[in-house]
Amino acid sequence: MPLFEVRALTHFFGGLRAVSDFNLTFDGGELTGLIGPNGAGKTTVFNLVCGVYHPTHGEVRIDGRSLGRLYPHQVTAMGIARTFQNIRLWPEMTVLDNIRVCHNYKLGYGFLDTIFQTSRYHTAEKGIGRRAREVLEIMGLRDHAEELAKNLPYGLQRKVEIARALILRPKLLLLDEPSAGMNLGEKEALIGLIRWIRKEFNLTIWLIEHEMRVVMNLCERIQVLDFGQTIAEGTPEEIQGNPRVVEAYLGKEVG
Amino acid sequence: MTLSIFIQNVMNALQWGSFYALIALGYSMVYGVLLLINFAHGDIFMVGAYIGFFISTFLLGAYGFQLPWKLSGGLVIFLTFLLTMALTAGVGVAIERVAYRPLRRKGVSRLYLVITALMVGLLLENGNLALLGASRRNFPELIPKVLYSVGGVNFSNTKIIVIIVTLLVFVFLQTVVLKTKWGMAMRAISYDRMAVPLMGVPVDTIIVMTFVLGSSMAAVAGILFAVSYPVLEPYMGALVGWKAFIAAVVGGIGEIRGAIAGGFILGFTEIFVATVFPSTFRDLIAFGVLLLILTLRPNGIFGIARRTKV
Amino acid sequence: MLVWFCRMKQYSLTLSAFLFFVLVVGLSWAGTLSSYIQLVLMFVGVNIMMSSSLNLVNGYMGEFSCGHAGFMAVGAYAASLVTVWCFTAESVFGPNLLPPAWAVVLFPFILLFGGVIAALAGLLVAIPSFRTRGDYLAIITLAVNYIVKSAIENIQPIGGARGFMGMARVVNGMKEVADIPWMMIWTWAFVFLTVLLIKRFVSSTYGKGIIAIREDEIAAEIMGVNTRRAKMVAFMLSSGLAGLAGGLFAHILGYINPGSFGIMKSTEALVMVYLGGMGSLSGSVLSAVLFTLLLEILRPLQLYKWVVVPFILILLMLFRTEGLLGHRELTDVFPILKRIFGSREEVHAAF
């Protein structure tokens, strides 16, 4: 049974076919890229997988279970975590709280425990605090734990986003343009970081990326979307040589 | 219900719907441009009615000193409307300038603006009460009342005037918003607050324009209301204002059509509820219906859901 | 020694609250405080409950609820109806169900019952909030406020627009058992309960979910927060506490009418929240105290009171927009308080 499977995923926005007949299978441990020109429907695919939109046709399965019409938080609890194209941290919360809140997917106590501060509450909160600090430590963010998320520099905010996804203990991690807005040095560091967390957490990673250097360096397989259609699929070398991909990005040569 | 009573009720509903619609327009336009619930707007309606009262009494020569020449009835009506609209617009713009603009410049959360608006409303109500006292004012008979009776249906000329003026205002505003450069800028701001100033649109001027239009419409509503129900008191704008606001939202806030539609829906619901149930049930059922509409169509009738990009 | 000191620090806030409580109740009992001052003190308590519970929704969750008085009304009527039905003879319900003396024990439970009913009324607002937010939700709360008020006005058996009375007799019944300032005791007991409850909720990972909703709702949902449940809990907790405040209010005054739960009351609650600062619990408490006292001090101005109050608030908004404390707590503004009172986390960290 594959870890993750997308079958014939199709989505309409009104009359616009944003994604059509998208297919994908992960057996576990892959690092795959999803590329394509602006507006090709890449983020829509991620949104469909996360339960932000529900597909018009087709289905998404994780561990053999169909996601159906689950809410995003339920999808998250099933092991899919993501980051966002334009950073979506909670700006007025501390970095530590940003991480802690994500633990709502598996809280271990209820409302009444909160109010009466039962021993169950204390145990669970201690565990959550410890895990949050662990993740911060791993991501090298320990010194920023008490800072407000909005006060961090851009590169660190991206790291907090990844840390936030990691505390969800995902099986599949979706990264939406992780290198956007980074300089060359930061991009190099990012490539190293992604490789490292994949090994450390035994993750399957699926990323959207515009920066070819990052994609070609990182990914073992790449899928190319254009106008919602999968136009190519293969190893980085195959993709680089594919005339349809060049055409989608640069346009057709006239004459 | 006989047909004549039914028509009578329709007339009443149209009249009340017109009041709500005219006030709702101001809420809706300000909201469209500023995303601000201008809770003071109901009280601007009240201010408009009072200004109209003073101007018309003055022009009709009811004060100590007479104007050197006698004005014809039509001219009095015209001048009253014009001056009242101008002065009320001035009040609206002044409020924007003194209370809202500094806050906007600070770039604070919209909720603080809303609270400020609430306070401005209270200030207008109670300031009026403190200045002019609690005694009610009787609005002069600006437009001589004529009663018509057609096939058993009785109605006054004021009802007809109210309805016609509202429709004219609707057409006028719809033209302004859809056809003129100003209107286009207003709509552009409500679509994209960040880009519009960069495109060279003078945002502050547009905002002032919006307040001028909204407040003068409230002034029109104020005079028309006072002509139909000639008793003025400082709190007259509070309840009507809240209701008009709800009407604006039901219609889809930020939309001219929505404000008109919402106003008439509220008018019809209120009048027809009162024909079936005791009149004390009017608010209960009217608000219940509005709540139901909002639950079924969370963005109002003409409102478009703004998708947040993920 | 250090350990002992830290332990003391942990309880110093509780201790000072307790001392305040003993002082207020003791002075009221001894008759040192005039009945007017007692009344003001009790209203301060009710207002603290109103502002801190509204802050949960408007400050922490970032929604704009402007019909808080509606839930107060539900709680006030629910609790009053039960106490009058149970403990007074010759009410609309006929003879008393239970001996009036039992009120001493049952009163807090009946108040809680009122709170529960108000929390259920909170569902009226919570469920639409799944699909709408911001200004549309503001209207829904506004409409609910009108609906509650108007509904009560139309139920003649409970007095309709004239109001409902009999609670004074319930309180007198309690006084016959023991002549102590019952309402002062219950009011401040519930004030502390409310503040404690909100404090505990918003500092838990569970409660922080609602702050995440304020900051970015979609991100919150995707990152594992059950936003529907969180909103429902926040709205119900907030309206439930408002209901408790309502029950107390009704029994402090001895009679209620729907007119006292209008938009004006809701506006007062809103003002207190923004005066104190959104998302600041100590700010809400502070502003409730200041606001209630301000209204009392300005009472001689009569008509001008409601000119001066909005004027002050407009100035405040212009020159100190984020309210007295903003998003911060008193301990952040005056670090010395932190040294005296210390926070629990600090104590844990010390070991």
Side-chain angles (χ1 to χ4, degrees):
Chain A
M1 185 178 62
L3 170 80
F4 177 73
E5 209 180 354
V6 180
R7 255 189 299 194
L9 196 70
T10 303
H11 191 64
F12 286 89
F13 286 123
L16 176 79
R17 190 194 288 256
V19 176
S20 68
D21 198 27
F22 184 85
N23 289 289
L24 180 83
T25 309
F26 289 145
D27 290 316
E30 287 96 336
L31 210 171
T32 304
L34 182 62
I35 64 171
N38 285 326
K42 305 181 296 287
T43 300
T44 308
V45 169
F46 271 23
N47 284 337
L48 287 167
V49 169
C50 290
V52 179
Y53 307 137
H54 295 297
T56 320
H57 303 296
E59 67 168 352
V60 180
R61 284 171 173 274
I62 182 153
D63 282 335
R65 282 188 298 166
S66 172
L67 295 186
R69 302 189 71 81
L70 292 182
Y71 292 114
H73 72 267
Q74 294 168 312
V75 175
T76 306
M78 287 174 77
I80 301 180
R82 72 177 281 184
T83 65
F84 300 91
Q85 190 175 346
N86 37 357
I87 297 175
R88 299 190 84 145
L89 293 174
W90 299 300
E92 295 278 351
M93 293 171 90
T94 64
V95 171
L96 183 64
D97 280 346
N98 260 282
I99 312 285
R100 272 176 61 189
V101 164
C102 295
H103 223 288
N104 260 287
Y105 84 103
K106 205 172 107 195
L107 214 46
Y109 63 86
F111 176 70
L112 290 180
D113 294 305
T114 321
I115 294 214
F116 295 112
Q117 300 218 326
T118 57
S119 63
R120 194 147 65 129
Y121 168 84
H122 284 298
T123 324
E125 283 285 330
K126 259 190 202 137
I128 292 170
R130 201 180 49 238
R131 290 209 42 218
R133 285 184 187 280
E134 267 169 29
V135 171
L136 285 179
E137 183 82 53
I138 289 171
M139 298 295 291
L141 290 164
R142 200 185 61 174
D143 299 338
H144 303 285
E146 296 301 329
E147 274 178 66
L148 292 186
K150 65 172 182 185
N151 293 340
L152 290 187
Y154 194 79
L156 286 183
Q157 291 196 8
R158 283 248 175 246
K159 269 189 161 177
V160 178
E161 272 221 323
I162 296 177
R164 210 168 57 161
L166 287 180
I167 203 174
L168 295 165
R169 291 200 172 144
K171 294 170 186 137
L172 172 65
L173 176 64
L174 312 182
L175 301 172
D176 197 343
E177 294 198 29
S179 82
M182 287 187 172
N183 63 31
L184 209 62
E186 286 172 328
K187 276 176 189 161
E188 292 298 331
L190 181 81
I191 293 175
L193 180 69
I194 292 177
R195 284 211 178 105
W196 184 77
I197 55 171
R198 174 201 190 188
K199 216 166 68 202
E200 181 76 17
F201 294 88
N202 197 16
L203 285 175
T204 308
I205 296 178
W206 190 17
L207 57 89
I208 293 178
E209 188 53 77
H210 265 306
E211 178 60 38
M212 284 306 142
R213 181 203 308 275
V214 177
V215 190
M216 296 300 165
N217 242 318
L218 265 176
C219 301
E220 290 137 9
R221 286 190 70 77
I222 294 171
Q223 259 179 316
V224 189
L225 273 189
D226 191 23
F227 293 114
Q229 310 262 6
T230 313
I231 56 167
E233 203 172 347
T235 63
E237 292 74 29
E238 288 165 3
I239 296 296
Q240 269 169 324
N242 189 319
R244 282 195 68 187
V245 177
V246 177
E247 188 191 308
Y249 269 93
L250 302 177
K252 214 177 207 155
E253 221 169 301
V254 185
Chain B
M1 197 190 303
T2 62
L3 185 66
S4 62
I5 295 180
F6 177 76
I7 296 175
Q8 191 96 46
N9 281 320
V10 170
M11 296 287 291
N12 286 336
L14 284 173
Q15 184 196 20
W16 274 91
S18 300
F19 296 139
Y20 290 135
L22 284 173
I23 304 170
L25 280 171
Y27 277 114
S28 212
M29 284 170 38
V30 169
Y31 186 88
V33 172
L34 278 183
L35 285 188
L36 160 70
I37 309 177
N38 182 13
F39 275 136
H41 192 69
D43 298 300
I44 292 184
F45 156 78
M46 176 273 294
V47 169
Y50 269 85
I51 293 178
F53 162 78
F54 286 117
I55 289 179
S56 57
T57 356
F58 174 71
L59 290 178
L60 290 173
Y63 286 115
F65 51 94
Q66 293 275 326
L67 285 172
W69 58 91
K70 182 105 178 89
L71 298 171
S72 74
L75 193 61
V76 169
I77 295 172
F78 176 74
L79 280 177
T80 305
F81 268 93
L82 196 71
L83 290 174
T84 309
M85 283 166 75
L87 286 175
T88 314
V91 173
V93 172
I95 291 172
E96 196 274 327
R97 198 64 182 255
V98 174
Y100 303 158
R101 191 179 289 184
L103 276 178
R104 235 178 38 240
R105 288 273 160 80
K106 278 190 183 177
V108 295
S109 159
R110 293 191 293 121
L111 297 182
Y112 295 115
L113 271 162
V114 175
I115 287 293
T116 310
L118 264 172
M119 290 304 113
V120 171
L122 279 180
L123 195 63
L124 289 177
E125 279 169 23
N126 296 294
N128 181 349
L129 188 68
L131 275 176
L132 303 176
S135 63
R136 297 170 166 214
R137 310 265 162 168
N138 282 315
F139 201 80
E141 204 178 88
L142 191 60
I143 304 165
K145 217 170 207 155
V146 186
L147 281 171
Y148 303 102
S149 183
V150 181
V153 183
N154 298 310
F155 55 91
S156 61
N157 57 343
T158 48
K159 276 201 177 89
I160 306 291
I161 292 171
V162 169
I163 297 164
I164 290 175
V165 169
T166 306
L167 291 179
L168 288 178
V169 164
F170 169 58
V171 173
F172 167 70
L173 284 182
Q174 195 73 336
T175 323
V176 168
V177 167
L178 293 181
K179 298 279 158 63
T180 66
K181 209 169 77 181
W182 293 109
M184 230 165 331
M186 279 166 69
R187 281 183 296 144
I189 292 178
S190 68
Y191 273 112
D192 194 329
R193 220 152 297 278
M194 300 298 278
V196 165
L198 301 176
M199 308 307 281
V201 177
V203 175
D204 278 339
T205 321
I206 301 293
I207 288 170
V208 168
M209 275 290 296
T210 313
F211 272 89
V212 166
L213 281 176
S215 306
S216 47
M217 293 315 133
V220 171
I223 300 174
L224 291 177
F225 188 87
V227 167
S228 317
Y229 300 91
V231 181
L232 304 185
E233 47 114 6
Y235 295 105
M236 64 186 273
L239 189 60
V240 176
W242 289 104
K243 285 184 177 175
F245 172 44
I246 295 183
V249 174
V250 165
I253 197 155
E255 282 278 336
I256 305 284
R257 295 175 294 167
I260 300 283
F264 282 120
I265 289 176
L266 185 59
F268 272 88
T269 319
E270 284 200 351
I271 298 289
F272 281 92
V273 163
T275 62
V276 183
F277 297 96
S279 65
T280 47
F281 278 67
R282 197 183 61 191
D283 286 1
L284 183 64
I285 295 178
F287 283 116
V289 169
L290 298 185
L291 198 61
L292 196 69
I293 295 178
L294 271 187
T295 315
L296 296 177
R297 282 199 62 103
N299 292 297
I301 295 169
F302 290 111
I304 304 154
R306 296 269 164 84
R307 241 178 224 285
T308 351
K309 208 161 173 261
V310 184
Chain C
M1 182 63 198
L2 179 77
V3 175
W4 180 81
F5 183 69
C6 286
R7 288 244 185 274
M8 277 315 289
K9 251 173 83 168
Q10 183 180 343
Y11 295 115
S12 55
L13 191 61
T14 325
L15 200 68
S16 32
F18 183 71
L19 282 178
F20 173 79
F21 181 75
V22 170
L23 196 72
V24 167
V25 172
L27 289 179
S28 311
W29 192 30
T32 319
L33 300 177
S34 70
S35 54
Y36 168 69
I37 291 184
Q38 287 188 37
L39 193 67
V40 172
L41 275 173
M42 287 189 277
F43 282 150
V44 166
V46 169
N47 279 342
I48 289 177
M49 290 173 75
M50 285 299 282
S51 67
S52 51
S53 60
L54 183 62
N55 202 347
L56 195 61
V57 165
N58 284 32
Y60 288 100
M61 196 158 68
E63 292 289 4
F64 191 71
S65 165
C66 44
H68 211 47
F71 304 115
M72 192 187 184
V74 172
Y77 270 87
S80 304
L81 289 174
V82 176
T83 54
V84 170
W85 178 41
C86 289
F87 305 121
T88 62
E90 301 151 29
S91 69
V92 281
F93 304 109
N96 47 333
L97 211 62
L98 302 166
W102 286 21
V104 175
V105 184
L106 291 179
F107 183 67
F109 296 100
I110 296 172
L111 277 185
L112 285 175
F113 166 78
V116 169
I117 301 290
L120 291 178
L123 281 176
L124 268 179
V125 177
I127 290 170
S129 82
F130 296 162
R131 289 178 69 195
T132 25
R133 58 167 302 162
D135 310 292
Y136 286 87
L137 196 66
I139 302 312
I140 287 170
T141 59
L142 193 65
V144 166
N145 197 160
Y146 271 116
I147 287 172
V148 167
K149 182 170 163 265
S150 191
I152 295 172
E153 278 170 357
N154 281 296
I155 305 174
Q156 292 311 325
I158 58 167
R162 279 163 301 144
F164 184 74
M165 51 184 75
M167 288 78 86
R169 272 181 288 159
V170 175
V171 178
N172 284 335
M174 288 197 272
K175 284 223 168 106
E176 270 164 33
V177 178
D179 191 19
I180 51 173
W182 284 105
M183 285 320 296
M184 186 66 88
I185 294 173
W186 289 128
T187 306
W188 282 95
F190 276 104
V191 168
F192 293 131
L193 185 79
T194 303
V195 174
L196 185 71
L197 224 75
I198 295 177
K199 171 83 190 127
R200 286 185 166 180
F201 183 64
V202 297
S203 49
S204 69
T205 301
Y206 194 144
K208 282 197 168 133
I210 68 167
I211 308 178
I213 291 178
R214 174 187 75 201
E215 302 281 294
D216 187 336
E217 185 176 341
I218 294 172
E221 173 72 31
I222 294 177
M223 299 317 288
V225 179
N226 185 346
T227 51
R228 283 156 189 264
R229 193 186 60 186
K231 281 178 175 182
M232 204 147 95
V233 167
F235 272 114
M236 287 181 75
L237 183 59
S238 165
S239 50
L241 292 172
L244 268 182
L248 286 164
F249 178 77
H251 286 84
I252 292 168
L253 274 182
Y255 67 92
I256 40 176
N257 66 42
S260 24
F261 304 106
I263 298 296
M264 200 57 210
K265 195 98 192 161
S266 297
T267 309
E268 278 179 30
L270 278 175
V271 165
M272 287 188 282
V273 169
Y274 292 90
L275 178 70
M278 283 161 76
S280 165
L281 189 54
S282 44
S284 276
V285 174
L286 188 70
S287 69
V289 176
L290 291 179
F291 186 71
T292 320
L293 296 181
L294 181 73
L295 284 188
E296 289 306 322
I297 292 165
L298 293 180
R299 192 180 281 279
L301 288 180
Q302 290 175 346
L303 217 55
Y304 290 92
K305 184 173 86 171
W306 280 107
V307 182
V308 175
V309 169
F311 190 68
I312 293 175
L313 281 160
I314 292 173
L315 288 183
L316 186 87
M317 283 291 137
L318 286 178
F319 297 108
R320 195 172 167 80
T321 314
E322 64 285 7
L324 296 175
L325 296 184
H327 281 288
R328 298 172 301 174
E329 295 293 342
L330 262 181
T331 43
D332 303 324
V333 184
F334 302 106
I336 187 164
L337 291 174
K338 204 176 252 166
R339 250 181 288 145
I340 300 169
F341 295 120
S343 63
R344 197 170 284 256
E345 283 109 75
E346 252 182 283
V347 178
H348 280 301
F351 298 104

